[in-house]
Every structure is written in C-alpha cells, then in structure tokens.
Amino acid sequence: MRHKKKGRKLGTNSAHTKAILRGVAVGVLRNNRVKTTEVRAKEVRPLVDRIITWAKKGDVHSRRLAIAQLGDKEVVAKIFNEAERFEGRSGGYTRILKLGPRKGDNAPVVILELVD
C-alpha cells in the first residue's frame, strides 16, 4: 500500500524520479519553457513554484535551499536576479499548455512555461 507516499513514481526508483524532476525544473528556470510529458509537468510544477517563492524572499537561507534543491548555482542566481518580475503574483508562476499525444508512445506532451 502507498500510505503516506507523496508524489508519482514516474516508472522509476526514487533517486531517478528525483533526478528527472530536478532536470525538468532546471530546464524550466533556465529557458523559461520546456516540452515534457503531462505527468512530469504536473509533478514538477509545485517544485518550480516553491523555488520562485524562495527567490521572491531573496535571503541567504532561501538561496541555499534553492541550491540544495536544484544543484545548479547559475540557475539559482538567474532566478533570484529576475525575481522582481513575479512580485505582483502570489502564486501560479507556471502554465501548462497541452500539445497532444507523442508519436512514438502516445504519451500526452505539454509545454511547461513560466508566466510573465
């Protein structure tokens, strides 16, 4: 049973799932948008929103939390420098646009992008 188990498995073990989510989150924060499957986008959306909320705080503790979560200091510096673009918004920093099924395995593909 999956009592008290949070999140989706994404067909992998826990370390691989964490690496997948970290990679998608870094891609979104670096490029402002990424094309991925719908399940991965829905799973990584709270992570990206949490990191942007930390960036809006802007203190050292929040920066260290973001670096620990993402593992990429350049992306963290970029998002902390651009945090003022999200000042008027109290949440919902990402948008999911559905593209349709992927040709090879019929997986639903979406674009996960940051809202301006």
Side-chain angles (χ1 to χ4, degrees):
M1 288 187 247
R2 285 184 49 89
H3 294 233
K4 293 186 147 185
K5 304 289 186 234
K6 184 179 161 195
R8 297 171 177 92
K9 283 186 65 167
L10 303 180
T12 61
N13 59 13
S14 62
H16 193 188
T17 300
K18 186 176 176 183
I20 288 171
L21 297 180
R22 177 182 286 183
V24 173
V26 167
V28 169
L29 295 173
R30 179 179 289 143
N31 304 319
N32 294 330
R33 64 171 32 195
V34 68
K35 189 163 94 168
T36 184
T37 63
E38 186 175 3
V39 176
R40 288 180 184 176
K42 285 183 177 181
E43 192 66 21
V44 81
R45 174 186 268 187
L47 173 64
V48 173
D49 287 351
R50 190 176 321 123
I51 290 168
I52 292 174
T53 303
W54 289 335
K56 284 172 59 176
K57 281 186 183 177
D59 57 349
V60 175
H61 180 63
S62 299
R63 185 177 294 264
R64 287 178 178 164
L65 287 173
I67 290 171
Q69 190 71 45
L70 292 178
D72 193 341
K73 290 183 181 181
E74 290 81 20
V75 172
V76 171
K78 176 185 180 283
I79 201 68
F80 271 68
N81 291 336
E82 295 177 356
E84 66 272 359
R85 81 184 225 202
F86 299 108
E87 285 300 324
R89 187 177 286 270
S90 62
Y93 308 111
T94 56
R95 173 187 305 138
I96 293 179
L97 302 171
K98 295 185 179 185
L99 296 178
R102 188 163 51 196
K103 184 164 174 110
D105 59 355
N106 208 27
V109 177
V110 299
I111 292 177
L112 177 68
E113 65 181 6
L114 295 178
V115 178
D116 288 333

